[in-house]
Amino acid sequence: MYRTVRLVRAAAAGVLVPVLALCLGACDGGGRGDAEGSSGVGDPYFPKSGNGGYDVAHYALDLAYDPTTRRLSGTARITARATQALDGFHLDLKGLEVEGVTVGGKEASFDHEGQELIVRPSARLAEGAMFETSVRYGGRPAVITDPDGSKEGWLRTADGALALGEPTGSMAWFPGNHHPSDKASYDITVSVPEGLTAVSNGELRGERTAGGRTAFSWHTAEPMASYLATVAIGRYDISRPAAGDGPPLYVAVDSTQAARGREALARLPEVLEWAAFNFGPYPFSSAGAIVDRPGDVIYALETQSRPVFPGPPDPRLLVHEIAHQWFGDSVTPRTWRDMWLNEGFATYAEWLWTEDEGGPTAEQTFQETYDEGEEEHEDLWSFPPAVPPGAEDISAQGPVYQRGAMVIHKIRQTVGDDAFFDLIQGWTAAHRHGNATTEQFTAFVERQAPDKDFRPVWRDWLYGEGKPERA
């Protein structure tokens, strides 16, 4: 992701908040039933996000949208496994009206309070049981304002809509277990007025027009965190560029951006090949991009297999979002505290690309950032990458992106180039399509290079307060 919103810090630099223990499905359910899943997983920054007591395997979303009335209607069929006995469980859904819920084909009672849709099946779900929940809902989807001031959720555009979910926006357009620790496969079908296109993640499986509307059916087989799901509705110039030996490509560019968009994305196959050479095999069965109008969205986002851009991207931004397909999308943070693993690696990918393109080396970029980085990122040394003080800080450009990249470069300095790229490719392979924490990453690095001392890297650069000593 590339945020363009300037953060307004509510606390003094260097002041850290306590980190809460993450429940990950085992928290107290609040006493609503004899066996009720929790209303959140206890994320350090978004404690009400996600839910306990079950693990989602698959989402099947059947959506219909009318840009004129701005009304979305949908049915979500959610296949999950109970991780404990359940008399009730929670789904995250904000701002839409629930019309009915079934579990296992039988009507279920429900309450909807804020972002919590509380479902009570007609019979207890046994621990380990697979079950399907169907939710019928509709209304005008909400725009959600992040703690850092940026907008997400279901965003109205000049000719349609764009759904963006990092970190909590997905609950604005479908019910689910909206925390990155619970990844699932997806089928998303979107019906729109004839003449518009609906683009989503994965592969286009079907396109059918009847009665003045066209339904587009998309399939994502690989596990995906809900914040990486997207729907883009509008008038798009669609292309399927040749990808050589790479994955099949599907590129959607807003019709007003078509000429510049095609030029900007001409290097997409090259960038994918370059990234695979450095980071390991591309992790998904398709790739591509969505380019919308600059006024419709003000930041890029690494939506899985098809990142979204606010207008035609320059090469560095393209590299950044493509790198996220490995770092963030395939290897997904376990909690929002681990965001530096996404952004530090994606920013370091920019440094590597610039180096390979004949520009400043990564070492030169590191030194320049150390010497003069405060001029562009005044918050650069305000907190360590691995411990953002609050939810508004998880996407801070200086500490999370730039200093996160500096941590990666310090690892490269410590182990040398050959061992570094072996280490990175080993990391993406070990956690392919899974989740990972900062602690797992540091332990992995130490196991791969047991003869090296990483304590100064972790102490001074990853967790340390203020500007570290250069050495």
Side-chain angles (χ1 to χ4, degrees), residues 84-119:
Q84 65 179 69
L86 290 173
D87 294 312
F89 57 91
H90 292 237
L91 296 167
D92 300 313
L93 181 66
K94 183 174 183 178
L96 293 170
E97 202 172 303
V98 177
E99 299 163 3
V101 180
T102 64
V103 178
K106 297 181 180 181
E107 292 291 330
S109 62
F110 63 91
D111 294 311
H112 197 186
E113 303 172 0
Q115 74 178 59
E116 299 298 323
L117 174 60
I118 305 142
V119 178

PDB file of all heavy atoms in Angstrom, residues 84-119:
ATOM      1  N   GLN A  84     -14.400 -24.596  18.142  1.00  0.00           N
ATOM      2  CA  GLN A  84     -14.910 -24.927  19.465  1.00  0.00           C
ATOM      3  C   GLN A  84     -16.400 -25.194  19.308  1.00  0.00           C
ATOM      4  O   GLN A  84     -16.976 -24.899  18.252  1.00  0.00           O
ATOM      5  CB  GLN A  84     -14.698 -23.761  20.444  1.00  0.00           C
ATOM      6  CG  GLN A  84     -15.514 -22.514  20.070  1.00  0.00           C
ATOM      7  CD  GLN A  84     -15.345 -21.355  21.022  1.00  0.00           C
ATOM      8  OE1 GLN A  84     -14.288 -20.753  21.095  1.00  0.00           O
ATOM      9  NE2 GLN A  84     -16.415 -21.044  21.760  1.00  0.00           N
ATOM     10  N   ALA A  85     -17.030 -25.789  20.275  1.00  0.00           N
ATOM     11  CA  ALA A  85     -18.477 -25.922  20.243  1.00  0.00           C
ATOM     12  C   ALA A  85     -19.100 -24.532  20.241  1.00  0.00           C
ATOM     13  O   ALA A  85     -18.661 -23.644  20.974  1.00  0.00           O
ATOM     14  CB  ALA A  85     -18.966 -26.730  21.445  1.00  0.00           C
ATOM     15  N   LEU A  86     -20.140 -24.328  19.404  1.00  0.00           N
ATOM     16  CA  LEU A  86     -20.707 -22.997  19.231  1.00  0.00           C
ATOM     17  C   LEU A  86     -22.231 -23.022  19.325  1.00  0.00           C
ATOM     18  O   LEU A  86     -22.899 -23.712  18.556  1.00  0.00           O
ATOM     19  CB  LEU A  86     -20.314 -22.423  17.864  1.00  0.00           C
ATOM     20  CG  LEU A  86     -18.857 -22.019  17.641  1.00  0.00           C
ATOM     21  CD1 LEU A  86     -18.634 -21.629  16.189  1.00  0.00           C
ATOM     22  CD2 LEU A  86     -18.463 -20.864  18.565  1.00  0.00           C
ATOM     23  N   ASP A  87     -22.748 -22.241  20.262  1.00  0.00           N
ATOM     24  CA  ASP A  87     -24.171 -21.919  20.273  1.00  0.00           C
ATOM     25  C   ASP A  87     -24.424 -20.609  19.526  1.00  0.00           C
ATOM     26  O   ASP A  87     -25.559 -20.309  19.154  1.00  0.00           O
ATOM     27  CB  ASP A  87     -24.679 -21.770  21.710  1.00  0.00           C
ATOM     28  CG  ASP A  87     -24.616 -23.081  22.469  1.00  0.00           C
ATOM     29  OD1 ASP A  87     -25.065 -24.099  21.917  1.00  0.00           O
ATOM     30  OD2 ASP A  87     -24.104 -23.087  23.601  1.00  0.00           O
ATOM     31  N   GLY A  88     -23.375 -19.845  19.328  1.00  0.00           N
ATOM     32  CA  GLY A  88     -23.476 -18.585  18.615  1.00  0.00           C
ATOM     33  C   GLY A  88     -22.105 -18.125  18.177  1.00  0.00           C
ATOM     34  O   GLY A  88     -21.080 -18.568  18.719  1.00  0.00           O
ATOM     35  N   PHE A  89     -22.078 -17.269  17.188  1.00  0.00           N
ATOM     36  CA  PHE A  89     -20.802 -16.738  16.696  1.00  0.00           C
ATOM     37  C   PHE A  89     -21.048 -15.376  16.066  1.00  0.00           C
ATOM     38  O   PHE A  89     -22.190 -14.984  15.793  1.00  0.00           O
ATOM     39  CB  PHE A  89     -20.148 -17.700  15.696  1.00  0.00           C
ATOM     40  CG  PHE A  89     -20.988 -18.037  14.502  1.00  0.00           C
ATOM     41  CD1 PHE A  89     -20.909 -17.281  13.334  1.00  0.00           C
ATOM     42  CD2 PHE A  89     -21.869 -19.105  14.535  1.00  0.00           C
ATOM     43  CE1 PHE A  89     -21.689 -17.583  12.232  1.00  0.00           C
ATOM     44  CE2 PHE A  89     -22.659 -19.419  13.435  1.00  0.00           C
ATOM     45  CZ  PHE A  89     -22.568 -18.655  12.286  1.00  0.00           C
ATOM     46  N   HIS A  90     -19.959 -14.650  15.822  1.00  0.00           N
ATOM     47  CA  HIS A  90     -20.021 -13.289  15.305  1.00  0.00           C
ATOM     48  C   HIS A  90     -19.463 -13.226  13.891  1.00  0.00           C
ATOM     49  O   HIS A  90     -18.532 -13.944  13.537  1.00  0.00           O
ATOM     50  CB  HIS A  90     -19.197 -12.341  16.182  1.00  0.00           C
ATOM     51  CG  HIS A  90     -19.751 -12.134  17.549  1.00  0.00           C
ATOM     52  ND1 HIS A  90     -20.077 -10.883  18.043  1.00  0.00           N
ATOM     53  CD2 HIS A  90     -20.028 -13.009  18.550  1.00  0.00           C
ATOM     54  CE1 HIS A  90     -20.528 -10.999  19.276  1.00  0.00           C
ATOM     55  NE2 HIS A  90     -20.500 -12.276  19.605  1.00  0.00           N
ATOM     56  N   LEU A  91     -20.022 -12.316  13.103  1.00  0.00           N
ATOM     57  CA  LEU A  91     -19.466 -11.901  11.826  1.00  0.00           C
ATOM     58  C   LEU A  91     -19.315 -10.385  11.855  1.00  0.00           C
ATOM     59  O   LEU A  91     -20.086  -9.695  12.530  1.00  0.00           O
ATOM     60  CB  LEU A  91     -20.385 -12.302  10.668  1.00  0.00           C
ATOM     61  CG  LEU A  91     -20.598 -13.799  10.434  1.00  0.00           C
ATOM     62  CD1 LEU A  91     -21.760 -14.023   9.481  1.00  0.00           C
ATOM     63  CD2 LEU A  91     -19.333 -14.450   9.889  1.00  0.00           C
ATOM     64  N   ASP A  92     -18.340  -9.864  11.137  1.00  0.00           N
ATOM     65  CA  ASP A  92     -18.148  -8.418  11.040  1.00  0.00           C
ATOM     66  C   ASP A  92     -18.914  -7.885   9.837  1.00  0.00           C
ATOM     67  O   ASP A  92     -18.694  -8.327   8.704  1.00  0.00           O
ATOM     68  CB  ASP A  92     -16.663  -8.079  10.879  1.00  0.00           C
ATOM     69  CG  ASP A  92     -15.821  -8.560  12.045  1.00  0.00           C
ATOM     70  OD1 ASP A  92     -16.230  -8.332  13.188  1.00  0.00           O
ATOM     71  OD2 ASP A  92     -14.760  -9.168  11.802  1.00  0.00           O
ATOM     72  N   LEU A  93     -19.819  -6.937  10.059  1.00  0.00           N
ATOM     73  CA  LEU A  93     -20.571  -6.296   8.990  1.00  0.00           C
ATOM     74  C   LEU A  93     -21.040  -4.943   9.496  1.00  0.00           C
ATOM     75  O   LEU A  93     -21.724  -4.857  10.509  1.00  0.00           O
ATOM     76  CB  LEU A  93     -21.782  -7.142   8.573  1.00  0.00           C
ATOM     77  CG  LEU A  93     -22.627  -6.570   7.425  1.00  0.00           C
ATOM     78  CD1 LEU A  93     -21.829  -6.550   6.118  1.00  0.00           C
ATOM     79  CD2 LEU A  93     -23.913  -7.370   7.249  1.00  0.00           C
ATOM     80  N   LYS A  94     -20.677  -3.892   8.769  1.00  0.00           N
ATOM     81  CA  LYS A  94     -20.979  -2.542   9.244  1.00  0.00           C
ATOM     82  C   LYS A  94     -21.759  -1.758   8.201  1.00  0.00           C
ATOM     83  O   LYS A  94     -21.348  -1.652   7.044  1.00  0.00           O
ATOM     84  CB  LYS A  94     -19.683  -1.796   9.581  1.00  0.00           C
ATOM     85  CG  LYS A  94     -19.900  -0.408  10.151  1.00  0.00           C
ATOM     86  CD  LYS A  94     -18.591   0.217  10.594  1.00  0.00           C
ATOM     87  CE  LYS A  94     -18.823   1.578  11.236  1.00  0.00           C
ATOM     88  NZ  LYS A  94     -17.558   2.186  11.722  1.00  0.00           N
ATOM     89  N   GLY A  95     -22.917  -1.209   8.611  1.00  0.00           N
ATOM     90  CA  GLY A  95     -23.626  -0.245   7.802  1.00  0.00           C
ATOM     91  C   GLY A  95     -24.654  -0.798   6.839  1.00  0.00           C
ATOM     92  O   GLY A  95     -25.362  -0.034   6.180  1.00  0.00           O
ATOM     93  N   LEU A  96     -24.771  -2.117   6.723  1.00  0.00           N
ATOM     94  CA  LEU A  96     -25.745  -2.724   5.826  1.00  0.00           C
ATOM     95  C   LEU A  96     -26.819  -3.446   6.627  1.00  0.00           C
ATOM     96  O   LEU A  96     -26.588  -3.875   7.758  1.00  0.00           O
ATOM     97  CB  LEU A  96     -25.056  -3.688   4.856  1.00  0.00           C
ATOM     98  CG  LEU A  96     -24.115  -3.010   3.850  1.00  0.00           C
ATOM     99  CD1 LEU A  96     -23.297  -4.049   3.104  1.00  0.00           C
ATOM    100  CD2 LEU A  96     -24.882  -2.135   2.870  1.00  0.00           C
ATOM    101  N   GLU A  97     -27.979  -3.590   6.025  1.00  0.00           N
ATOM    102  CA  GLU A  97     -29.120  -4.182   6.712  1.00  0.00           C
ATOM    103  C   GLU A  97     -29.183  -5.675   6.420  1.00  0.00           C
ATOM    104  O   GLU A  97     -29.109  -6.101   5.264  1.00  0.00           O
ATOM    105  CB  GLU A  97     -30.408  -3.514   6.222  1.00  0.00           C
ATOM    106  CG  GLU A  97     -31.564  -3.626   7.168  1.00  0.00           C
ATOM    107  CD  GLU A  97     -32.738  -2.775   6.710  1.00  0.00           C
ATOM    108  OE1 GLU A  97     -32.560  -1.549   6.547  1.00  0.00           O
ATOM    109  OE2 GLU A  97     -33.804  -3.358   6.501  1.00  0.00           O
ATOM    110  N   VAL A  98     -29.296  -6.478   7.459  1.00  0.00           N
ATOM    111  CA  VAL A  98     -29.372  -7.936   7.309  1.00  0.00           C
ATOM    112  C   VAL A  98     -30.834  -8.337   7.181  1.00  0.00           C
ATOM    113  O   VAL A  98     -31.675  -7.984   8.006  1.00  0.00           O
ATOM    114  CB  VAL A  98     -28.717  -8.647   8.498  1.00  0.00           C
ATOM    115  CG1 VAL A  98     -28.869 -10.162   8.366  1.00  0.00           C
ATOM    116  CG2 VAL A  98     -27.245  -8.267   8.591  1.00  0.00           C
ATOM    117  N   GLU A  99     -31.130  -9.108   6.122  1.00  0.00           N
ATOM    118  CA  GLU A  99     -32.504  -9.513   5.843  1.00  0.00           C
ATOM    119  C   GLU A  99     -32.811 -10.931   6.325  1.00  0.00           C
ATOM    120  O   GLU A  99     -33.970 -11.261   6.579  1.00  0.00           O
ATOM    121  CB  GLU A  99     -32.764  -9.400   4.343  1.00  0.00           C
ATOM    122  CG  GLU A  99     -32.603  -7.968   3.830  1.00  0.00           C
ATOM    123  CD  GLU A  99     -32.461  -7.891   2.327  1.00  0.00           C
ATOM    124  OE1 GLU A  99     -32.552  -8.962   1.662  1.00  0.00           O
ATOM    125  OE2 GLU A  99     -32.228  -6.787   1.802  1.00  0.00           O
ATOM    126  N   GLY A 100     -31.793 -11.755   6.443  1.00  0.00           N
ATOM    127  CA  GLY A 100     -32.019 -13.113   6.909  1.00  0.00           C
ATOM    128  C   GLY A 100     -30.719 -13.887   6.982  1.00  0.00           C
ATOM    129  O   GLY A 100     -29.759 -13.588   6.258  1.00  0.00           O
ATOM    130  N   VAL A 101     -30.683 -14.881   7.881  1.00  0.00           N
ATOM    131  CA  VAL A 101     -29.487 -15.706   8.072  1.00  0.00           C
ATOM    132  C   VAL A 101     -29.912 -17.160   8.195  1.00  0.00           C
ATOM    133  O   VAL A 101     -30.887 -17.476   8.906  1.00  0.00           O
ATOM    134  CB  VAL A 101     -28.706 -15.279   9.338  1.00  0.00           C
ATOM    135  CG1 VAL A 101     -27.463 -16.160   9.516  1.00  0.00           C
ATOM    136  CG2 VAL A 101     -28.317 -13.811   9.286  1.00  0.00           C
ATOM    137  N   THR A 102     -29.191 -18.052   7.534  1.00  0.00           N
ATOM    138  CA  THR A 102     -29.361 -19.485   7.745  1.00  0.00           C
ATOM    139  C   THR A 102     -28.008 -20.085   8.086  1.00  0.00           C
ATOM    140  O   THR A 102     -26.964 -19.602   7.643  1.00  0.00           O
ATOM    141  CB  THR A 102     -29.937 -20.195   6.511  1.00  0.00           C
ATOM    142  OG1 THR A 102     -29.008 -20.086   5.423  1.00  0.00           O
ATOM    143  CG2 THR A 102     -31.280 -19.615   6.105  1.00  0.00           C
ATOM    144  N   VAL A 103     -28.033 -21.144   8.858  1.00  0.00           N
ATOM    145  CA  VAL A 103     -26.842 -21.932   9.154  1.00  0.00           C
ATOM    146  C   VAL A 103     -27.189 -23.387   8.865  1.00  0.00           C
ATOM    147  O   VAL A 103     -28.163 -23.910   9.403  1.00  0.00           O
ATOM    148  CB  VAL A 103     -26.390 -21.772  10.618  1.00  0.00           C
ATOM    149  CG1 VAL A 103     -25.177 -22.660  10.900  1.00  0.00           C
ATOM    150  CG2 VAL A 103     -26.062 -20.316  10.930  1.00  0.00           C
ATOM    151  N   GLY A 104     -26.414 -23.995   7.966  1.00  0.00           N
ATOM    152  CA  GLY A 104     -26.727 -25.367   7.579  1.00  0.00           C
ATOM    153  C   GLY A 104     -28.088 -25.499   6.921  1.00  0.00           C
ATOM    154  O   GLY A 104     -28.751 -26.534   7.016  1.00  0.00           O
ATOM    155  N   GLY A 105     -28.538 -24.436   6.250  1.00  0.00           N
ATOM    156  CA  GLY A 105     -29.811 -24.452   5.558  1.00  0.00           C
ATOM    157  C   GLY A 105     -31.012 -24.167   6.426  1.00  0.00           C
ATOM    158  O   GLY A 105     -32.144 -24.094   5.930  1.00  0.00           O
ATOM    159  N   LYS A 106     -30.820 -23.952   7.713  1.00  0.00           N
ATOM    160  CA  LYS A 106     -31.919 -23.694   8.626  1.00  0.00           C
ATOM    161  C   LYS A 106     -31.873 -22.258   9.123  1.00  0.00           C
ATOM    162  O   LYS A 106     -30.789 -21.718   9.374  1.00  0.00           O
ATOM    163  CB  LYS A 106     -31.859 -24.662   9.814  1.00  0.00           C
ATOM    164  CG  LYS A 106     -32.029 -26.125   9.405  1.00  0.00           C
ATOM    165  CD  LYS A 106     -31.982 -27.039  10.624  1.00  0.00           C
ATOM    166  CE  LYS A 106     -32.162 -28.498  10.224  1.00  0.00           C
ATOM    167  NZ  LYS A 106     -32.130 -29.402  11.408  1.00  0.00           N
ATOM    168  N   GLU A 107     -33.029 -21.656   9.275  1.00  0.00           N
ATOM    169  CA  GLU A 107     -33.099 -20.280   9.747  1.00  0.00           C
ATOM    170  C   GLU A 107     -32.396 -20.139  11.100  1.00  0.00           C
ATOM    171  O   GLU A 107     -32.555 -20.982  11.987  1.00  0.00           O
ATOM    172  CB  GLU A 107     -34.554 -19.826   9.879  1.00  0.00           C
ATOM    173  CG  GLU A 107     -35.289 -19.677   8.560  1.00  0.00           C
ATOM    174  CD  GLU A 107     -34.774 -18.513   7.727  1.00  0.00           C
ATOM    175  OE1 GLU A 107     -34.305 -17.511   8.328  1.00  0.00           O
ATOM    176  OE2 GLU A 107     -34.820 -18.610   6.488  1.00  0.00           O
ATOM    177  N   ALA A 108     -31.621 -19.078  11.222  1.00  0.00           N
ATOM    178  CA  ALA A 108     -30.915 -18.788  12.471  1.00  0.00           C
ATOM    179  C   ALA A 108     -31.357 -17.431  12.983  1.00  0.00           C
ATOM    180  O   ALA A 108     -31.655 -16.520  12.192  1.00  0.00           O
ATOM    181  CB  ALA A 108     -29.409 -18.804  12.250  1.00  0.00           C
ATOM    182  N   SER A 109     -31.415 -17.280  14.282  1.00  0.00           N
ATOM    183  CA  SER A 109     -31.702 -15.967  14.846  1.00  0.00           C
ATOM    184  C   SER A 109     -30.434 -15.126  14.821  1.00  0.00           C
ATOM    185  O   SER A 109     -29.314 -15.660  14.786  1.00  0.00           O
ATOM    186  CB  SER A 109     -32.222 -16.094  16.279  1.00  0.00           C
ATOM    187  OG  SER A 109     -31.244 -16.692  17.113  1.00  0.00           O
ATOM    188  N   PHE A 110     -30.607 -13.815  14.829  1.00  0.00           N
ATOM    189  CA  PHE A 110     -29.430 -12.950  14.770  1.00  0.00           C
ATOM    190  C   PHE A 110     -29.745 -11.598  15.372  1.00  0.00           C
ATOM    191  O   PHE A 110     -30.906 -11.163  15.436  1.00  0.00           O
ATOM    192  CB  PHE A 110     -28.942 -12.779  13.322  1.00  0.00           C
ATOM    193  CG  PHE A 110     -29.926 -12.097  12.413  1.00  0.00           C
ATOM    194  CD1 PHE A 110     -29.905 -10.709  12.257  1.00  0.00           C
ATOM    195  CD2 PHE A 110     -30.871 -12.822  11.698  1.00  0.00           C
ATOM    196  CE1 PHE A 110     -30.806 -10.071  11.422  1.00  0.00           C
ATOM    197  CE2 PHE A 110     -31.770 -12.187  10.857  1.00  0.00           C
ATOM    198  CZ  PHE A 110     -31.744 -10.813  10.722  1.00  0.00           C
ATOM    199  N   ASP A 111     -28.701 -10.933  15.832  1.00  0.00           N
ATOM    200  CA  ASP A 111     -28.732  -9.539  16.254  1.00  0.00           C
ATOM    201  C   ASP A 111     -27.627  -8.810  15.501  1.00  0.00           C
ATOM    202  O   ASP A 111     -26.577  -9.390  15.210  1.00  0.00           O
ATOM    203  CB  ASP A 111     -28.488  -9.398  17.760  1.00  0.00           C
ATOM    204  CG  ASP A 111     -29.608  -9.993  18.590  1.00  0.00           C
ATOM    205  OD1 ASP A 111     -30.770  -9.679  18.302  1.00  0.00           O
ATOM    206  OD2 ASP A 111     -29.314 -10.787  19.508  1.00  0.00           O
ATOM    207  N   HIS A 112     -27.854  -7.535  15.221  1.00  0.00           N
ATOM    208  CA  HIS A 112     -26.852  -6.740  14.508  1.00  0.00           C
ATOM    209  C   HIS A 112     -26.603  -5.473  15.312  1.00  0.00           C
ATOM    210  O   HIS A 112     -27.464  -4.599  15.389  1.00  0.00           O
ATOM    211  CB  HIS A 112     -27.344  -6.405  13.102  1.00  0.00           C
ATOM    212  CG  HIS A 112     -26.260  -5.950  12.186  1.00  0.00           C
ATOM    213  ND1 HIS A 112     -26.505  -5.490  10.909  1.00  0.00           N
ATOM    214  CD2 HIS A 112     -24.911  -5.889  12.342  1.00  0.00           C
ATOM    215  CE1 HIS A 112     -25.368  -5.158  10.321  1.00  0.00           C
ATOM    216  NE2 HIS A 112     -24.376  -5.387  11.181  1.00  0.00           N
ATOM    217  N   GLU A 113     -25.432  -5.408  15.931  1.00  0.00           N
ATOM    218  CA  GLU A 113     -25.089  -4.293  16.802  1.00  0.00           C
ATOM    219  C   GLU A 113     -23.769  -3.688  16.334  1.00  0.00           C
ATOM    220  O   GLU A 113     -22.710  -4.297  16.504  1.00  0.00           O
ATOM    221  CB  GLU A 113     -24.960  -4.758  18.255  1.00  0.00           C
ATOM    222  CG  GLU A 113     -26.210  -5.430  18.800  1.00  0.00           C
ATOM    223  CD  GLU A 113     -25.995  -6.051  20.178  1.00  0.00           C
ATOM    224  OE1 GLU A 113     -24.852  -5.945  20.706  1.00  0.00           O
ATOM    225  OE2 GLU A 113     -26.938  -6.656  20.709  1.00  0.00           O
ATOM    226  N   GLY A 114     -23.827  -2.512  15.737  1.00  0.00           N
ATOM    227  CA  GLY A 114     -22.601  -1.886  15.242  1.00  0.00           C
ATOM    228  C   GLY A 114     -21.994  -2.714  14.138  1.00  0.00           C
ATOM    229  O   GLY A 114     -22.640  -3.010  13.133  1.00  0.00           O
ATOM    230  N   GLN A 115     -20.741  -3.128  14.305  1.00  0.00           N
ATOM    231  CA  GLN A 115     -20.101  -3.960  13.296  1.00  0.00           C
ATOM    232  C   GLN A 115     -20.263  -5.451  13.584  1.00  0.00           C
ATOM    233  O   GLN A 115     -19.761  -6.284  12.822  1.00  0.00           O
ATOM    234  CB  GLN A 115     -18.611  -3.627  13.192  1.00  0.00           C
ATOM    235  CG  GLN A 115     -17.747  -4.138  14.338  1.00  0.00           C
ATOM    236  CD  GLN A 115     -16.281  -3.800  14.144  1.00  0.00           C
ATOM    237  OE1 GLN A 115     -15.914  -2.636  14.039  1.00  0.00           O
ATOM    238  NE2 GLN A 115     -15.431  -4.817  14.087  1.00  0.00           N
ATOM    239  N   GLU A 116     -20.975  -5.805  14.660  1.00  0.00           N
ATOM    240  CA  GLU A 116     -21.109  -7.205  15.050  1.00  0.00           C
ATOM    241  C   GLU A 116     -22.458  -7.782  14.618  1.00  0.00           C
ATOM    242  O   GLU A 116     -23.515  -7.332  15.055  1.00  0.00           O
ATOM    243  CB  GLU A 116     -20.953  -7.357  16.566  1.00  0.00           C
ATOM    244  CG  GLU A 116     -19.604  -6.922  17.112  1.00  0.00           C
ATOM    245  CD  GLU A 116     -18.448  -7.723  16.559  1.00  0.00           C
ATOM    246  OE1 GLU A 116     -18.613  -8.947  16.348  1.00  0.00           O
ATOM    247  OE2 GLU A 116     -17.375  -7.118  16.332  1.00  0.00           O
ATOM    248  N   LEU A 117     -22.412  -8.764  13.730  1.00  0.00           N
ATOM    249  CA  LEU A 117     -23.584  -9.562  13.392  1.00  0.00           C
ATOM    250  C   LEU A 117     -23.481 -10.855  14.209  1.00  0.00           C
ATOM    251  O   LEU A 117     -22.586 -11.671  13.977  1.00  0.00           O
ATOM    252  CB  LEU A 117     -23.616  -9.866  11.899  1.00  0.00           C
ATOM    253  CG  LEU A 117     -24.706 -10.819  11.422  1.00  0.00           C
ATOM    254  CD1 LEU A 117     -26.098 -10.275  11.748  1.00  0.00           C
ATOM    255  CD2 LEU A 117     -24.563 -11.087   9.928  1.00  0.00           C
ATOM    256  N   ILE A 118     -24.376 -11.009  15.170  1.00  0.00           N
ATOM    257  CA  ILE A 118     -24.310 -12.131  16.109  1.00  0.00           C
ATOM    258  C   ILE A 118     -25.326 -13.176  15.663  1.00  0.00           C
ATOM    259  O   ILE A 118     -26.533 -12.908  15.611  1.00  0.00           O
ATOM    260  CB  ILE A 118     -24.611 -11.675  17.542  1.00  0.00           C
ATOM    261  CG1 ILE A 118     -23.664 -10.522  17.916  1.00  0.00           C
ATOM    262  CG2 ILE A 118     -24.470 -12.825  18.521  1.00  0.00           C
ATOM    263  CD1 ILE A 118     -24.306  -9.456  18.754  1.00  0.00           C
ATOM    264  N   VAL A 119     -24.848 -14.350  15.302  1.00  0.00           N
ATOM    265  CA  VAL A 119     -25.669 -15.416  14.725  1.00  0.00           C
ATOM    266  C   VAL A 119     -25.815 -16.542  15.735  1.00  0.00           C
ATOM    267  O   VAL A 119     -24.824 -16.973  16.349  1.00  0.00           O
ATOM    268  CB  VAL A 119     -25.034 -15.952  13.427  1.00  0.00           C
ATOM    269  CG1 VAL A 119     -25.867 -17.094  12.848  1.00  0.00           C
ATOM    270  CG2 VAL A 119     -24.856 -14.831  12.408  1.00  0.00           C
TER     271      VAL A 119
END
